[in-house]
Amino acid sequence: RNDSWIIDNIDQFPENTVKIFNRWGSTVYSESNYDNIDVVWKGNTGNKEEGDELEAATYFYVATVDDQVYKGWVELTT
């Protein structure tokens, strides 16, 4: 509860985008300039404490950093 998704060294690449998708492929979170402090995902549909809390499940991410695309998954638990 109240954890943040910290992406190692992303602050070194300020021009980035991070998108989180649910299992049906719908975007549940999307932000630019992710920096682990002012722009950070806390398991909801908005930045920091904004937006609706998401249910416990596996979510998929696409992060674009310096024209490199990184894909993977993250699990929210209760």
Side-chain angles (χ1 to χ4, degrees):
R1 186 172 275 297
N2 301 323
D3 287 342
S4 299
W5 189 43
I6 303 302
I7 303 174
D8 291 336
N9 299 316
I10 197 140
D11 56 326
Q12 303 296 315
F13 307 93
E15 292 186 25
N16 63 67
T17 58
V18 174
K19 295 182 179 183
I20 308 287
F21 303 89
N22 63 19
R23 62 182 170 179
W24 298 284
S26 297
T27 303
V28 296
Y29 175 87
S30 180
E31 291 288 340
S32 297
N33 307 317
Y34 198 97
D35 64 6
N36 295 329
I37 298 169
D38 294 321
V39 182
V40 64
W41 186 51
K42 289 187 170 261
N44 52 4
T45 58
N47 185 41
K48 292 187 174 182
E49 303 297 334
E50 299 171 8
D52 297 326
E53 187 174 314
L54 296 168
E55 64 184 42
T58 300
Y59 293 87
F60 303 91
Y61 68 85
V62 175
T64 305
V65 181
D66 259 359
D67 295 325
Q68 291 271 65
V69 177
Y70 300 91
K71 298 177 182 180
W73 59 272
V74 60
E75 182 179 3
L76 287 182
T77 59
T78 56

